[in-house]
Amino acid sequence: MNEDLLEQLNDGQRDAVVYCDGPQLVIAGAGSGKTRVLTYKIAYLLQQGINPWNILALTFTNKAAREMKERIGRLVGEERARYLQMGTFHSVFARILRAEAQVLGFQSNFTIYDQSDSRSLVKSIIKEMQLDDKTYKPASVADRISMAKNHLLLPQVYAQSEWARDDAQRKCPSVKDIYIRYSERCRQANAMDFDDLLVYTYMLLKNNDEVRQKYIDRFQYVLVDEYQDTNYAQQEIVVLLTKEHGRVCVVGDDAQSIYSFRGANIENILNFQKEYDGARLFKLEQNYRSTQLIVQAANSLIRHNERQIPKDVFSENEHGEKLTLKPAYSDKEESIIVCNDIRRIKRKDNCRYSDFAILYRTNSQSRSFEEQMRKDGIPYRIYGGLSFYQRKEIKDVIAYYRVVSNPNDEEALRRIINYPTRGIGDTTVAKIVDVANTHGVGLWTVISQPVLFHLNISKGTAVKLEAFRQLIEGWIGRLDKEDAYELGHAIIMESGISRDIYSSNNPEDLSRQENLEEFLSGMQDFVESRKEEDMGDQIALGDFLQEVALLTDLDSDNGEDDDKVTLMTIHSAKGLEFPTVFVVGLEENIFPSPMCTNSMRELEEERRLLYVAITRAEKHCILTCAQNRWRYGRMEYDTPSRFIKDIDPSLLHVESERGGGSAVSQMISRPVSRMQNPRPVATQFMADPKPRLIPLRRESPMPQSVIGNIGLKEGHVIEHQRFGIGTVIKVEGTGENQKATVEFKNAGTKQLLLKFAKYTIVR
């Protein structure tokens, strides 16, 4: 039976499986069969006579543990696999803590708080301490406490640490006191949060020799999956359980360590052999997923990282095609190119939409691709997240726009009446609804004439309600005077939404900021493109709302068909694979993230992130970058990502509309400074405790002498700022009404009003 088991492995996998004589680090390159080695090793241990209850396997997801246990059951029988001690760090440690709760002063029926419970408790404490919740945002404080626990910084130690001094410098000196009170309240409630499951397990094993020895004896062999993703606390617990007997096998890939923002510490895997004397290193280097050229290109990229365990991943699959870089003139053309390629490859390979994935650095980048795929009728799904127009901050803004366009919109009015908080609570809203129902009128009618309808509210509430009414009426009065972008921007600023979203710099709020900026960029693009295509000089807020309504209506499509293109962030894509992968937005200030360009450690993680993206691809890997991109109300020029230059040029085919790839090749070879463009608005808040709000910037139309439309004739080839290269088919009209019909290579036929058009004549 042993031989049958081992015959199904390659040489590297077999060596890793049969070695059980001491600490073992298995470096598993992308697509090299990591899960296979773990499952076969556990099966092998069982066949060597170790009882299933004496084997501990720690994973990062319940799904991974479940799938592994099922595979082991098929190899050695479900009965034996059933008794394996296998699960996530948190689930396994929760079982241990329930068994040993009294040692720590807890009852065994303790509650486990999830993230929302933790944030709710932090919010209550901030309120009790009479602290400003704009300075001490509950989510940010809870994240700070969580990160401290992941570093095993208990409340009293935290209060004396560099962390607390950093809080004081950031004008948040009371974080340490909130942390102390939070821990006390959890204990009083006989509750632990997710991070406590790690902290208390560490304390239990560290401070109680008898208990530690009990679990060392019980877990005779310990295996850890995705070791590059472990944080400090997880690593310390593994050391406490295994240092004495050394029967530990950790599996992972330092080249795929991309979760430092969650507390993952790459040093754990890099220093494993220093932590465990005599530890053996095994490398799984054969990639079974990708073609040879994709693997070679990924290797050439990651070699530029200094801090890594050297490996030479190879593939014996078909030779395949080079990576392709497809530069675009704008984010609009980028999405058109990707959608055109999806249709082309689908026809050529006779494959399904589900064989395609579009990977991006930030969630906000999904907008342009969603909109283009809807226009083209390409089905898609957002993996692990919401469609752009279903994200809370976007729905909040749109609700404001809906009320300004139609104050009788009850659903939208309910959503915004107390967001951001303005002291109009649920009780007041219930009274307004009750009066409106009694008189058969809309909510806005009651809000506009509270005295007439005898609305029973206090003077203070009446003042707040009147201020809200005046705010809305002020915007209604501007509907005919300002275009959609000007008024839309004003609503975001004057409503307090911008101040609310920019009052914190935790990862969640940074994502909301990026989404809001992308939304405004989309509005600006909407207004400018319609002017350019002669749909009117004044593009109203109602026009924009109509467009958005058509987009959001499609979000309600819950069809069972799973044949859809997958859109996701690269962080969400780890562990997945697709025949065709598009890695989009490969520009400075996007990828690498501008927040990571001043630290070599962070820059190397960004490079690992691109390595992960490329190695998701089986057959086709297509990279895109845009020369121009709407940002903060203006078209900004971007340079290609420095990482493109890290890929061996012999493994990268660059497509250029000018022929030969010369224009793009020059951009790629251009040296990249640390900060080539101004920092995006979102990152400026990292260093500034006082939020600066998004400035309104408008691009004035380019003078004719600059854009080169003097003497534009049929047959001219033009380079358009957003649509790229196109051929003029027809020119008609005179003066301000002059129009040109242009056939663009990727964007199709467009009719442009020349007084707004932004382009140059190429030939």
Side-chain angles (χ1 to χ4, degrees):
M1 181 69 176
N2 281 0
E3 289 305 316
D4 291 343
L5 196 71
L6 299 177
E7 280 173 8
Q8 299 173 51
L9 306 171
N10 66 32
D11 292 345
Q13 293 170 339
R14 189 181 304 110
D15 291 344
V17 165
V18 300
Y19 180 78
C20 303
D21 298 331
Q24 171 184 20
L25 169 61
V26 180
I27 294 296
S32 64
K34 169 181 66 70
T35 306
R36 188 177 185 82
V37 165
L38 273 172
T39 54
Y40 275 70
K41 188 170 187 73
I42 293 170
Y44 182 78
L45 288 168
L46 291 170
Q47 291 187 346
Q48 296 304 299
I50 297 182
N51 294 316
W53 49 85
N54 293 136
I55 297 174
L56 172 64
L58 297 167
T59 66
F60 273 84
T61 65
N62 288 311
K63 182 184 176 188
R66 191 166 54 248
E67 288 179 355
M68 224 180 291
K69 189 174 276 192
E70 287 172 1
R71 287 198 200 183
I72 295 164
R74 289 196 291 270
L75 291 172
V76 299
E78 290 181 13
E79 190 64 28
R80 296 181 75 189
R82 183 183 305 164
Y83 296 103
L84 287 166
Q85 301 300 295
M86 181 178 285
T88 64
F89 283 87
H90 293 89
S91 64
V92 170
F93 296 164
R95 290 198 295 271
I96 291 174
L97 289 171
R98 290 206 188 278
E100 310 294 342
Q102 290 184 334
V103 178
L104 294 163
F106 281 84
Q107 297 172 33
S108 61
N109 65 339
F110 62 80
T111 301
I112 297 175
Y113 282 174
D114 63 16
Q115 186 184 66
S116 63
D117 295 325
S118 299
R119 290 184 175 182
S120 178
L121 178 54
V122 168
K123 185 177 182 180
S124 299
I125 292 168
I126 289 168
K127 191 172 184 180
E128 290 163 15
M129 294 174 68
Q130 298 183 320
L131 297 168
D132 181 5
D133 63 4
K134 295 289 187 286
T135 301
Y136 294 91
K137 287 197 79 171
S140 299
V141 175
D143 288 347
R144 186 75 168 170
I145 292 171
S146 173
M147 197 61 81
K149 289 181 178 183
N150 287 333
H151 286 80
L152 297 175
L153 285 173
L154 300 179
Q156 301 302 335
V157 177
Y158 182 93
Q160 306 301 319
S161 70
E162 285 287 339
W163 291 52
R165 287 190 282 278
D166 180 51
D167 291 336
Q169 286 181 350
R170 293 188 302 116
K171 298 184 171 57
C172 303
S174 296
V175 169
K176 64 181 187 301
D177 304 307
I178 298 170
Y179 185 10
I180 290 169
R181 192 175 294 194
Y182 174 82
S183 293
E184 290 170 349
R185 292 281 284 277
C186 283
R187 189 172 276 279
Q188 288 166 12
N190 190 39
M192 295 185 193
D193 63 26
F194 267 49
D195 300 305
D196 285 332
L197 298 176
L198 301 179
V199 172
Y200 282 120
T201 301
Y202 172 78
M203 291 170 61
L204 176 74
L205 299 174
K206 180 75 173 174
N207 301 330
N208 301 275
D209 293 341
E210 189 178 329
V211 174
R212 182 172 68 253
Q213 195 58 50
K214 171 182 168 183
Y215 286 100
I216 288 173
D217 293 341
R218 176 177 298 178
F219 302 133
Q220 294 175 21
Y221 209 100
V222 177
L223 303 98
V224 186
D225 190 15
E226 304 285 12
Y227 198 66
Q228 78 280 349
D229 294 335
T230 53
N231 61 31
Y232 178 69
Q234 289 163 331
Q235 188 239 8
E236 287 299 298
I237 294 167
V238 171
V239 168
L240 285 170
L241 285 171
T242 62
K243 196 68 177 281
E244 189 172 299
H245 58 59
R247 291 187 294 275
V248 58
C249 171
V250 302
V251 182
D253 183 6
D254 55 295
Q256 298 186 67
S257 178
I258 58 173
Y259 295 119
S260 64
F261 66 96
R262 293 183 191 164
N265 184 5
I266 192 174
E267 305 299 334
N268 294 347
I269 195 165
L270 293 179
N271 295 334
F272 181 85
Q273 291 172 280
K274 294 178 183 175
E275 181 69 51
Y276 290 88
D277 292 336
R280 285 274 306 274
L281 172 64
F282 295 82
K283 297 179 183 179
L284 307 180
E285 296 176 304
Q286 183 171 355
N287 179 304
Y288 289 93
R289 174 187 302 148
S290 308
T291 60
Q292 294 178 28
L293 290 183
I294 289 174
V295 169
Q296 290 169 23
N299 286 348
S300 71
L301 168 75
I302 204 64
R303 282 196 193 101
H304 289 268
N305 273 12
E306 292 178 10
R307 298 169 64 256
Q308 62 176 305
I309 297 170
K311 66 188 79 65
D312 187 19
V313 180
F314 67 94
S315 170
E316 292 183 355
N317 294 343
E318 63 180 308
H319 192 68
E321 58 190 41
K322 296 180 181 182
L323 268 62
T324 303
L325 173 64
K326 297 200 169 189
Y329 282 87
S330 66
D331 48 351
K332 181 187 283 286
E333 195 195 28
E334 178 186 45
S335 61
I336 293 170
I337 287 170
V338 168
C339 289
N340 287 348
D341 262 6
I342 289 172
R343 289 199 298 265
R344 176 182 63 80
I345 295 170
K346 187 173 183 290
R347 283 194 304 270
K348 178 171 165 282
D349 290 4
N350 192 27
C351 59
R352 292 162 55 85
Y353 285 118
S354 55
D355 290 332
F356 296 87
I358 301 172
L359 308 183
Y360 34 75
R361 178 64 183 83
T362 63
N363 266 310
S364 61
Q365 290 170 258
S366 75
R367 179 192 62 83
S368 61
F369 297 99
E370 289 187 63
E371 292 183 3
Q372 189 60 43
M373 282 192 282
R374 282 166 166 164
K375 287 176 185 173
D376 291 352
I378 297 174
Y380 71 89
R381 64 179 182 131
I382 304 290
Y383 181 92
L386 294 170
S387 173
F388 185 83
Y389 289 101
Q390 291 300 325
R391 294 167 195 166
K392 180 187 180 300
E393 56 276 12
I394 305 304
K395 292 186 80 169
D396 289 337
V397 171
I398 290 171
Y400 266 98
Y401 293 178
R402 284 167 52 183
V403 169
V404 172
S405 294
N406 171 22
N408 292 312
D409 185 332
E410 181 176 333
E411 288 304 308
L413 186 62
R414 281 172 177 261
R415 187 177 185 100
I416 68 163
I417 195 167
N418 200 39
Y419 174 73
T421 307
R422 52 173 62 88
I424 304 173
D426 292 343
T427 303
T428 302
V429 173
K431 288 179 179 178
I432 294 169
V433 170
D434 188 48
V435 170
N437 289 339
T438 300
H439 291 87
V441 296
L443 305 191
W444 182 250
T445 304
V446 176
I447 291 168
S448 300
Q449 299 172 291
V451 177
L452 177 65
F453 289 98
H454 306 291
L455 185 62
N456 182 23
I457 52 175
S458 67
K459 279 188 178 178
T461 302
V463 170
K464 293 167 186 170
L465 207 58
E466 174 60 14
F468 173 68
R469 185 196 67 79
Q470 289 181 12
L471 194 65
I472 301 295
E473 289 285 5
W475 293 323
I476 291 172
R478 295 157 66 177
L479 274 170
D480 297 330
K481 301 182 183 71
E482 298 177 20
D483 70 30
Y485 176 71
E486 290 170 329
L487 182 54
H489 181 278
I491 291 170
I492 290 171
M493 303 296 290
E494 295 163 16
S495 65
I497 287 178
S498 183
R499 186 174 300 279
D500 176 67
I501 288 178
Y502 281 96
S503 61
S504 167
N505 58 19
N506 67 36
E508 200 171 284
D509 283 320
L510 285 175
S511 180
R512 294 168 69 209
Q513 292 163 22
E514 289 165 351
N515 287 336
L516 187 59
E517 289 160 7
E518 179 64 24
F519 177 77
L520 277 170
S521 296
M523 281 193 82
Q524 175 72 334
D525 186 26
F526 174 84
V527 170
E528 296 296 328
S529 63
R530 271 151 187 72
K531 284 183 179 178
E532 196 172 21
E533 293 175 43
D534 196 22
M535 296 183 184
D537 286 357
Q538 182 77 10
I539 311 300
L541 190 64
D543 298 328
F544 179 72
L545 276 178
Q546 180 174 315
E547 179 84 357
V548 169
L550 295 173
L551 293 171
T552 54
D553 182 55
L554 289 164
D555 285 334
S556 61
D557 177 18
N558 294 318
E560 295 299 314
D561 184 12
D562 62 354
D563 185 23
K564 297 175 181 177
V565 176
T566 299
L567 278 71
M568 67 173 96
T569 63
I570 302 167
H571 283 103
S572 300
K574 189 167 170 292
L576 302 176
E577 56 190 47
F578 301 88
T580 301
V581 167
F582 296 89
V583 188
V584 299
L586 272 170
E587 300 137 44
E588 290 294 307
N589 278 340
I590 295 179
F591 200 171
S593 164
M595 289 179 284
C596 302
T597 53
N598 290 320
S599 157
M600 187 55 68
R601 184 189 182 96
E602 292 175 339
L603 197 58
E604 288 202 345
E605 179 158 331
E606 289 288 293
R607 190 178 282 111
R608 291 194 296 269
L609 194 58
L610 180 54
Y611 175 82
V612 167
I614 292 171
T615 55
R616 299 311 94 199
E618 297 171 3
K619 291 176 64 179
H620 311 288
C621 185
I622 299 163
L623 316 178
T624 66
C625 59
Q627 185 174 301
N628 303 291
R629 196 175 287 271
W630 280 110
R631 281 211 197 95
Y632 328 123
R634 71 180 183 187
M635 187 70 88
E636 290 200 343
Y637 175 82
D638 280 321
T639 54
S641 168
R642 66 190 74 188
F643 295 148
I644 296 173
K645 293 189 295 182
D646 290 343
I647 299 170
D648 183 338
S650 71
L651 301 168
L652 180 66
H653 169 66
V654 180
E655 279 195 8
S656 172
E657 292 174 342
R658 298 263 188 111
S662 58
V664 179
S665 297
Q666 286 172 14
M667 285 195 292
I668 294 170
S669 62
R670 194 177 296 155
V672 180
S673 65
R674 281 262 172 215
M675 281 299 183
Q676 218 147 6
N677 293 329
R679 284 189 298 169
V681 176
T683 62
Q684 291 172 354
F685 293 88
M686 297 295 290
D688 188 350
K690 291 183 180 177
R692 285 169 279 179
L693 307 180
I694 307 168
L696 174 66
R697 298 183 190 157
R698 297 305 299 257
E699 265 198 59
S700 55
M702 290 185 180
Q704 291 189 0
S705 58
V706 174
I707 63 176
N709 64 6
I710 296 172
L712 189 66
K713 297 175 183 174
E714 183 180 324
H716 273 157
V717 176
I718 66 169
E719 181 179 300
H720 190 274
Q721 196 177 53
R722 279 176 294 163
F723 301 132
I725 294 290
T727 302
V728 179
I729 297 171
K730 183 168 64 174
V731 179
E732 56 191 320
T734 57
E736 288 206 342
N737 296 319
Q738 191 175 34
K739 300 175 189 175
T741 303
V742 183
E743 179 70 40
F744 289 100
K745 180 181 175 183
N746 292 308
T749 304
K750 302 282 182 185
Q751 189 175 68
L752 307 179
L753 187 64
L754 294 186
K755 71 172 180 178
F756 290 118
K758 300 178 178 67
Y759 64 90
T760 55
I761 297 174
V762 176
R763 59 178 184 275

